[in-house]
Amino acid sequence: MVAAPFCAFKCTVSGSYNRLVGSFFIVCWRGLAANMPTVGVRRELLFKALGRAYTDEEFDELCFEYGLELDEITSEKEIISREQGDSKAAGASDVILYKIDVPANRYDLLCLEGLARGLQVFKNKLEAPRYRRVRPVSGESQKLIITKETEAVRRHAVAAVLRNITFTQERYDSFIELQEKLHQNVCRKRSLVAIGTHDLDTISGPFTYTAKPPGDISFKPLNQSQEFTATQLMSLYKTDSHLRHYLHIIEDKPVYPVIYDSNGIVLSMPPIINGDHSKITLKTRNVFIECTATDLNKAKIVLDMMVTMFSEYCLQPFTVEEAEVVYPDGKACIYPELAYRKEKLSSEFINRKVGINESTEKIAQLLTRMCLRSRATGVGDEIEVEIPPTRSDVIHACDIMEDAAIAYGFNNIIRTTPHTYTVANQFPLNKLTELLRQDLAAAGFTEALNFALCSQEDIADKLGKKISETRAVHISNPKTAEFQVARTTLLPGLLKTIAANRKMPLPLKLFEISDVVLKDETKDVGARNSRRFCAIYYNKSPGFEVIHGLLDRTMQLLEVKSARGDGYHIQAADVATLLKPPLHMKSLCRKSSSTSTPCKTNPGRLRPPALLIQKLCLVT
Amino acid sequence: MADTGVAETLLRWVEKADVCLLPAVQVISAELRSSKHWELTGEGTEIAEQGSHEARVFSSIPLEGLAQSELMKLSFGKIGFSKAMSNKWIRVDKAHEGGPRIFRTVENIEDQVREKLLLVQRGNSCELEEKEKNELKKRRLLSEVTVKSYWITKGSSFSTTVTKQETELTPEMIATGSWKEKTFKPYNFEAMGVALDCGHLHPLMKVRTQFRQIFLEMGFTEMPTNNFIESSFWNFDSLFQPQQHPARDQHDTFFLSDPALAHEFPQDYLQRVKRVHSEGGFGSQGYKYDWKTEEAQKNILRTHTTAVSARMLYKVAQQEKFTPVKYFSIDRVFRNETLDATHLAEFHQIEGVVADYGLTLGDLMGVLHQFFTKLGITKLRFKPAYNPYTEPSMEVFSYHEGLKKWVEVGNSGVFRPEMLLPMGLPEDVSVIAWGLSLERPTMIKYGINNIRELVGHKVNLQMVYDSPICRLDS
């Protein structure tokens, strides 16, 4: 029996290539996941408000359809035990909580009341309530007078009254929680708007919103037993885990905002703290709400949110008592605005944008289910849409169109292929990079992939250069030294890659083709990327000829001849990072007409300092 | 096998070929038979002849005793003395004048060690107990010997001439044709081949190449995204992202101190952007706030490649006549985020954009379906979402067979008119777009749990060396 002389064995690949790829891609579009507020509601209360119980799966499905996300099913006990350990959680409640992620622009879904209302209307179980501003029975509305001192710090204020409200513990908790959620989101951590809520029966109007030097403000703040001056408060709250985040908003101002009642009682010192005197309790029947702001539009939205959400618990549900705000110039405004806006659009517009074909009446019904009360006007396919004060996110017809699509069900829309005819082109620089990478790997070099950001030290000190000599762009707010500058050279990254892989068998042959960033006055932003190629050979024995060979090979691939004048050649030069001449060389090459290759390269041996810092001992 | 020469050769041959050669050749078949027996060591043989050390010590001591120093001079003195002492055959009189002296304590002795060794020598080792043999082995008087023997018979291809097996085919063999007569040593398929000396592409870049390929196959043109530094204007304002948006916070975005500000904008466009933010227009209510050019001028490290999409769409809008475009990009973006096993301060964003007359939400879903099918993902569904510059916005979910649930694989939407109309695009042009990250699919494809092993200098080079080719759809 004669064995086959050639290597004729059968290659059997075991294992399946059918692994499911692509699951868990992380979203990287801005403004979504990171800023999505999470609302925690008690499951039983939610189901009670929704008028039926759901299984967790059913509710998850409903959330998905509506654009919410049931992020977590947990309990207070579970949360405490996770964050502080089992021992602390012993007495905590194990009532089931739903943590629901809400789109960042839907302030009307930030509390149980709003969530339940939105979902009930969506499920056609409830007609969206109509929020009404009413005159006080007494005929005399509460007044908030703004003095001109506020202009230096926080000039806007709005106010309203919730009359004859009934709190329970749950409602009270939700009321406080909504303020907190609004503060964190639309109010931009109280910098744009700060909300103060007060027991109206403990204070008496008219109220004055003014600003005073911190030494002149003195009151008993919420949950404290004694009076403090504003100056004292600022140092007291320096260590408060919650309040310290808001101090910077007014800290450096000469005057601090403050609201007094007609008897000189301090209601609040926005945006930091309310007075203890007027605090809300479960027994509170009449609530005075004030919002002070640097952004009036946002203040109006926030006030509308507070009153629309909680007027449900007033004796006259969904009515809000107006308040009058008087500006320093004498102009008086009535709040809350509770403005209903009407928009007209055609059903053809919605059908065309979404890619569906529904009747005008059907589309009006779809929109009504999204709390946008709509009707076909009868004029052609015209629909009149009413945008309630709760839907401040609707600012364009496209927002209405999206709501129609959500109510229709995104996943009921037929998927179509656009007829857009285009011819594809590669970006020439990337095309060159792609081709070159392949051949550099074929030349025996392995591709590295390093960060574009690094420390000043990496691109300067460690390479024997001064940072001022580099054309590096500098980052103003790095969290660590790793992100001080954008790299100006690929070399530090490759050296660090070798340092981190010293256990690998030698030689290490690495390359990288990627962008560095350089300051460039001629660009609109004052900087530009520059595509670079860097390679490194790391071994016990000298190997300059290897790097030299790679350079020659690269030039060959780029069709640049080795010749003085019209091609490339290598000449000695002095580079700080490299050993003294004549051990290193500089190669120069004329830009060839067809490619935009880098015209200067620096092959050579690295100087010991650069090596020592990288904890390497052998590099050529 | 009378001829010892032949036997020896055969034995050598058999032993060498033992592992794999012989069974295949079958010239002869050899069966290994091994047996064990006990033998005396050199010292053991000496004892068998002359008696044990202790017995010799005993017999060398006369009745009047012997000086210890004298005894120790004998070759067997030292070992024999201690054994004889422990057998209580002799005693030492340390107080004796002229130094310690040794006397016999018994009349006669029985040299059992010698008796046992003699038994073994005569081939009667079976009469000894295992324990005794091991005791003697410990004293290095006995050793156990294994005898290997082969029982050799004719093999199936028995031949009286022995041919050597060749390991390699040589040019000479081919030239002379001698390979026809040769037999070749079979290969050992159990061992790995030699590790080749080769270069490798980085896995993330391999996946990038595939995504590029998919876009190119779908007719998308690559955008020039080689500008990491971007002004807030193009990164945020042009996308109708308000200036107080949390994404524009110091905590989320890297701002530049040098060069801190961008200094050149298309002025009329900038005015339109300012208007749509602060007052509205183009059918929009606007955000109604005080839009500041200084805020727009602030340079940052771009937080998304959508900034480049905005520049490209603006460029398209400047053409005399609008022509439909399909664009894509895959490049680095930067976030001033807290780092962990799945998040870095920089990552690659994949983005696709289509601009044409009359595109619908259904078209976006259709394009996404085609795109993800090329990644091997066919089961998709869409969830309404919020994104400042798209409306409608949809998160893309795919069904994960392993986890038995829907997981998010991307984000998508239709660009808002407030973004497109100030650029000057025709009103009936819609722009649909989607984005995802490159790192995540790569980590799943190559089974990497810690992103630092994949990206950056802490890369595991062995992983780079070992990573297979990238086929996303299989």
Side-chain angles (χ1 to χ4, degrees):
Chain A
M1 192 157 87
V2 178
F6 298 105
C7 199
F9 58 86
K10 200 172 157 197
C11 170
T12 317
V13 178
S14 58
S16 163
Y17 274 98
N18 290 326
R19 209 157 11 136
L20 196 126
V21 278
S23 30
F24 275 132
F25 292 44
I26 276 184
V27 174
C28 60
W29 270 22
R30 193 46 113 144
L32 230 134
N35 305 312
M36 212 155 161
T38 304
V39 181
V41 293
R42 281 167 64 172
R43 186 171 66 177
E44 49 167 277
L45 292 178
L46 179 67
F47 289 173
K48 202 173 138 202
L50 291 176
R52 62 161 279 198
Y54 288 82
T55 65
D56 292 341
E57 290 73 27
E58 282 170 345
F59 189 72
D60 184 49
E61 201 60 32
L62 175 61
C63 283
F64 193 96
E65 209 184 331
Y66 196 61
L68 304 168
E69 197 169 328
L70 180 54
D71 186 47
E72 202 188 353
I73 302 164
T74 180
S75 71
E76 219 162 272
K77 195 173 192 169
E78 213 177 301
I79 295 170
I80 297 174
S81 112
R82 189 175 53 210
E83 288 168 1
Q84 304 169 28
D86 285 340
S87 55
K88 292 265 170 79
S93 149
D94 45 16
V95 173
I96 301 291
L97 289 179
Y98 274 173
K99 294 274 181 189
I100 300 169
D101 284 348
V102 175
N105 63 341
R106 290 296 300 270
Y107 316 124
D108 59 320
L109 303 175
L110 288 174
C111 61
L112 170 76
E113 289 72 15
L115 264 176
R117 218 175 285 162
L119 289 172
Q120 286 290 77
V121 174
F122 182 60
K123 297 297 280 179
N124 258 332
K125 294 216 187 104
L126 182 78
E127 205 172 303
R130 245 198 120 68
Y131 308 100
R132 281 188 306 125
R133 184 173 75 193
V134 293
R135 302 267 311 150
V137 183
S138 68
E140 192 72 22
S141 48
Q142 295 295 334
K143 238 183 215 174
L144 178 63
I145 299 154
I146 306 177
T147 73
K148 69 175 189 320
E149 287 81 6
T150 58
E151 282 168 19
V153 47
R154 202 175 180 85
R155 64 190 311 161
H156 303 291
V158 294
V161 172
L162 288 175
R163 191 61 79 175
N164 290 318
I165 194 167
T166 310
F167 279 122
T168 62
Q169 187 63 50
E170 287 83 21
R171 293 173 183 180
Y172 177 85
D173 291 346
S174 178
F175 187 70
I176 302 296
E177 189 60 26
L178 175 63
Q179 290 178 55
E180 180 55 22
K181 289 279 181 254
L182 291 169
H183 274 152
Q184 292 310 317
N185 294 286
V186 58
C187 304
R188 296 291 294 117
K189 302 199 170 99
R190 301 193 189 178
S191 63
L192 300 182
V193 187
I195 311 159
T197 54
H198 311 275
D199 187 334
L200 183 58
D201 299 324
T202 65
I203 44 180
S204 62
F207 307 101
T208 309
Y209 175 42
T210 184
K212 282 184 170 184
D216 298 353
I217 303 170
S218 180
F219 65 105
K220 191 165 94 176
L222 197 61
N223 302 328
Q224 293 285 343
S225 52
Q226 62 176 94
E227 283 205 359
F228 292 87
T229 66
T231 319
Q232 289 169 328
L233 279 178
M234 293 302 265
S235 58
L236 177 70
Y237 292 142
K238 274 271 184 301
T239 52
D240 188 292
S241 63
H242 181 209
L243 294 177
R244 67 190 163 95
H245 300 295
Y246 311 119
L247 303 182
H248 73 97
I249 302 171
I250 56 166
E251 209 167 21
D252 303 329
K253 309 279 184 195
V255 288
Y256 289 2
V258 61
I259 301 175
Y260 292 100
D261 85 341
S262 59
N263 298 320
I265 287 167
V266 170
L267 272 65
S268 64
M269 184 179 85
I272 312 297
I273 191 85
N274 286 352
D276 194 63
H277 181 92
S278 58
K279 76 171 169 204
I280 306 260
T281 66
L282 289 181
K283 294 194 190 94
T284 299
R285 293 284 290 162
N286 300 298
V287 180
F288 179 68
I289 304 174
E290 40 86 3
C291 300
T292 57
T294 54
D295 181 326
L296 181 60
N297 186 48
K298 289 267 191 318
K300 291 179 190 171
I301 291 170
V302 169
L303 183 68
D304 277 352
M305 276 324 144
M306 287 300 298
V307 299
T308 51
M309 293 300 115
F310 284 89
S311 56
E312 185 176 353
Y313 303 130
C314 290
L315 195 59
Q316 294 270 312
F318 307 116
T319 63
V320 186
E321 185 179 306
E322 66 181 36
E324 188 181 332
V325 175
V326 184
Y327 277 84
D329 61 2
K331 198 179 86 179
C333 295
I334 304 293
Y335 293 110
E337 280 196 342
L338 292 182
Y340 282 82
R341 186 174 94 239
K342 285 203 166 94
E343 296 275 357
K344 280 181 180 156
L345 42 77
S346 68
S347 60
E348 184 271 339
F349 165 78
I350 286 175
N351 280 326
R352 174 161 49 86
K353 290 285 180 186
V354 179
I356 50 175
N357 189 16
E358 295 296 315
S359 68
T360 307
E361 286 71 25
K362 177 75 193 300
I363 287 173
Q365 283 167 20
L366 291 175
L367 290 171
T368 302
R369 277 175 53 215
M370 299 303 288
C371 294
L372 302 174
R373 193 177 304 199
S374 304
R375 62 178 189 95
T377 59
V379 183
D381 65 346
E382 191 182 65
I383 301 173
E384 188 183 71
V385 186
E386 187 183 58
I387 294 120
T390 44
R391 292 298 308 275
S392 60
D393 60 298
V394 178
I395 57 175
H396 194 279
C398 69
D399 297 304
I400 298 170
M401 176 262 288
E402 180 185 60
D403 273 13
I406 292 172
Y408 183 83
F410 275 10
N411 296 294
N412 298 325
I413 298 168
I414 291 166
R415 299 170 191 183
T416 47
T417 306
H419 300 293
T420 313
Y421 175 80
T422 51
V423 173
N425 287 306
Q426 302 185 49
F427 179 47
L429 184 62
N430 288 1
K431 184 178 181 177
L432 175 67
T433 306
E434 283 288 302
L435 292 170
L436 203 51
R437 284 173 53 242
Q438 300 281 344
D439 271 319
L440 289 169
F445 279 69
T446 293
E447 187 175 33
L449 180 71
N450 287 297
F451 299 124
L453 304 184
C454 59
S455 68
Q456 294 187 8
E457 207 186 9
D458 282 337
I459 56 164
D461 309 333
K462 286 183 184 175
L463 299 182
K465 287 184 194 165
K466 288 203 185 80
I467 189 74
S468 54
E469 291 166 6
T470 66
R471 289 154 68 197
V473 301
H474 292 254
I475 293 165
S476 65
N477 58 332
K479 280 183 184 146
T480 68
E482 292 167 84
F483 312 119
Q484 287 173 328
V485 290
R487 64 183 171 189
T488 53
T489 155
L490 300 178
L491 184 60
L494 285 183
L495 287 172
K496 283 159 108 179
T497 304
I498 285 181
N501 282 280
R502 272 173 301 155
K503 284 178 187 154
M504 294 297 291
L506 297 181
L508 289 178
K509 294 190 278 186
L510 303 178
F511 80 94
E512 184 169 2
I513 305 183
S514 195
D515 285 354
V516 302
V517 181
L518 303 171
K519 278 197 279 191
D520 183 347
E521 294 279 300
T522 65
K523 298 286 168 188
D524 59 346
V525 296
R528 66 176 165 88
N529 282 21
S530 170
R531 182 122 335 152
R532 295 290 175 85
F533 162 43
C534 186
I536 195 161
Y537 177 78
Y538 174 72
N539 203 358
K540 282 181 182 159
S541 54
F544 178 75
E545 63 281 3
V546 177
I547 283 292
H548 190 178
L550 184 70
L551 175 71
D552 290 338
R553 172 67 183 143
T554 310
M555 291 301 167
Q556 190 177 44
L557 291 167
L558 295 172
E559 294 181 277
V560 184
K561 288 196 181 67
S562 173
R564 288 194 179 260
D566 200 24
Y568 78 98
H569 69 277
I570 301 180
Q571 71 182 45
D574 193 4
V575 179
T577 316
L578 306 175
L579 278 177
K580 283 198 171 144
L583 281 172
H584 70 270
M585 291 168 238
K586 191 174 200 172
S587 86
L588 298 168
C589 97
R590 288 270 170 89
K591 252 185 198 174
S592 93
S593 53
S594 58
T595 55
S596 54
T597 57
C599 60
K600 218 166 74 176
T601 56
N602 290 316
R605 236 169 261 180
L606 289 165
R607 277 190 181 187
L611 305 183
L612 291 176
I613 290 161
Q614 299 293 344
K615 293 182 188 153
L616 299 174
C617 45
L618 335 139
V619 167
T620 298
Chain B
M1 304 247 178
D3 189 333
T4 44
V6 172
E8 263 172 37
T9 313
L10 200 57
L11 186 64
R12 256 205 320 276
W13 210 65
V14 164
E15 292 214 303
K16 209 174 93 189
D18 193 27
V19 191
C20 64
L21 249 183
L22 212 59
V25 178
Q26 293 292 320
V27 176
I28 53 165
S29 74
E31 188 193 338
L32 178 67
R33 297 176 177 185
S34 58
S35 63
K36 286 180 181 176
H37 69 268
W38 292 90
E39 267 179 14
L40 299 190
T41 61
E43 195 183 350
T45 315
E46 191 189 321
I47 289 173
E49 280 164 15
Q50 302 176 18
S52 65
H53 302 304
E54 53 271 30
R56 289 169 77 188
V57 164
F58 181 82
S59 55
S60 59
I61 298 172
L63 278 174
E64 65 275 18
L66 185 70
Q68 191 174 12
S69 53
E70 285 297 310
L71 178 68
M72 288 307 163
K73 280 177 192 162
L74 299 170
S75 62
F76 47 82
K78 210 172 173 179
I79 309 167
F81 170 73
S82 55
K83 271 280 170 196
M85 281 295 283
S86 71
N87 286 352
K88 296 200 170 94
W89 291 347
I90 57 172
R91 67 179 172 87
V92 186
D93 184 359
K94 283 185 182 165
H96 202 277
E97 54 192 76
R101 205 173 176 83
I102 296 160
F103 298 93
R104 290 190 184 187
T105 53
V106 291
E107 296 276 310
N108 297 305
I109 55 155
E110 197 183 333
D111 191 355
Q112 283 184 346
V113 174
R114 188 185 178 194
E115 298 300 318
K116 287 176 191 164
L117 290 177
L118 282 170
L119 273 178
V120 175
Q121 204 173 35
R122 287 185 211 116
N124 297 332
S125 63
C126 51
E127 286 176 31
L128 289 179
E129 285 179 33
E130 280 304 304
K131 199 178 145 195
E132 291 172 315
K133 282 186 272 199
N134 284 327
E135 178 68 25
L136 292 168
K137 192 182 168 190
K138 246 187 222 165
R139 286 183 67 177
R140 296 175 188 227
L141 303 176
L142 274 190
S143 66
E144 194 173 25
V145 176
T146 307
V147 175
K148 254 190 189 175
S149 55
Y150 290 93
W151 190 252
I152 293 174
T153 53
K154 285 181 185 175
S156 56
S157 15
F158 181 74
S159 150
T160 50
T161 53
V162 176
T163 47
K164 190 173 161 254
Q165 281 193 314
E166 297 295 338
T167 51
E168 299 295 341
L169 182 69
T170 64
E172 289 75 29
M173 293 179 197
I174 297 169
T176 61
S178 67
W179 62 272
K180 288 176 201 156
E181 279 77 45
K182 301 278 185 193
T183 57
F184 289 86
K185 185 178 174 183
Y187 288 111
N188 176 10
F189 295 118
E190 299 303 313
M192 294 296 282
V194 171
L196 298 179
D197 177 23
C198 49
H200 309 266
L201 292 173
H202 191 281
L204 191 80
M205 296 295 101
K206 290 196 222 187
V207 179
R208 186 183 71 174
T209 302
Q210 288 312 304
F211 273 100
R212 270 185 104 241
Q213 183 68 28
I214 288 169
F215 277 114
L216 292 170
E217 284 167 9
M218 291 175 71
F220 283 66
T221 286
E222 192 170 28
M223 291 188 271
T225 44
N226 56 334
N227 59 324
F228 296 165
I229 310 301
E230 190 54 277
S231 61
S232 295
F233 178 78
W234 287 107
N235 196 83
F236 297 123
D237 296 289
S238 71
L239 296 169
F240 196 54
Q241 201 154 346
Q243 296 189 327
Q244 319 87 344
H245 193 275
R248 305 181 67 156
D249 206 282
Q250 295 271 330
H251 298 296
D252 284 46
T253 299
F254 286 116
F255 287 83
L256 292 198
S257 55
D258 180 23
L261 299 177
H263 50 75
E264 210 184 294
F265 302 98
Q267 276 307 319
D268 49 342
Y269 173 50
L270 181 125
Q271 289 307 323
R272 290 195 295 271
V273 169
K274 178 180 180 161
R275 201 164 56 243
V276 78
H277 276 250
S278 51
E279 302 161 25
F282 305 104
S284 176
Q285 301 287 310
Y287 290 126
K288 297 178 181 143
Y289 72 99
D290 188 11
W291 188 90
K292 294 192 177 76
T293 310
E294 303 81 71
E295 196 59 42
Q297 277 188 293
K298 287 183 181 169
N299 272 336
I300 57 165
L301 279 154
R302 67 166 174 229
T303 62
H304 47 199
T305 49
T306 318
V308 177
S309 307
R311 281 180 184 266
M312 294 301 286
L313 288 169
Y314 173 74
K315 227 174 177 178
V316 168
Q318 304 319 300
Q319 295 171 340
E320 203 133 297
K321 188 181 176 296
F322 171 82
T323 45
V325 291
K326 292 196 286 197
Y327 286 139
F328 83 95
S329 67
I330 311 170
D331 212 334
R332 292 180 199 238
V333 297
F334 304 84
R335 307 274 168 97
N336 196 4
E337 281 181 320
T338 315
L339 313 182
D340 60 34
T342 51
H343 292 86
L344 291 173
E346 53 187 277
F347 61 93
H348 290 74
Q349 181 184 343
I350 301 167
E351 179 157 323
V353 178
V354 185
D356 199 355
Y357 290 106
L359 293 174
T360 67
L361 194 57
D363 286 337
L364 173 57
M365 292 175 175
V367 172
L368 284 168
H369 179 74
Q370 290 175 335
F371 177 79
F372 280 99
T373 301
K374 280 181 172 284
L375 298 175
I377 297 172
T378 49
K379 228 169 157 186
L380 286 187
R381 69 173 189 167
F382 302 92
K383 174 176 162 292
Y386 167 67
N387 202 352
Y389 43 89
T390 55
E391 189 82 11
S393 308
M394 307 188 299
E395 283 169 12
V396 188
F397 280 71
S398 108
Y399 191 74
H400 191 289
E401 298 290 347
L403 294 173
K404 297 261 174 269
K405 66 178 205 176
W406 292 88
V407 293
E408 193 177 339
V409 292
N411 202 349
S412 65
V414 183
F415 283 135
R416 293 189 72 97
E418 291 100 323
M419 167 185 164
L420 302 178
L421 297 177
M423 288 178 172
L425 285 168
E427 210 164 320
D428 40 359
V429 165
S430 293
V431 182
I432 56 179
W434 72 99
L436 52 135
S437 95
L438 178 64
E439 277 75 0
R440 206 59 195 152
T442 307
M443 288 171 80
I444 290 158
K445 172 84 192 165
Y446 288 106
I448 296 162
N449 293 323
N450 187 347
I451 197 165
R452 287 184 186 83
E453 272 192 26
L454 176 69
V455 188
H457 60 268
K458 286 179 186 157
V459 64
N460 177 354
L461 278 182
Q462 192 62 51
M463 176 278 295
V464 175
Y465 292 171
D466 295 345
S467 69
I469 53 168
C470 176
R471 291 183 298 170
L472 291 172
D473 57 347
S474 58

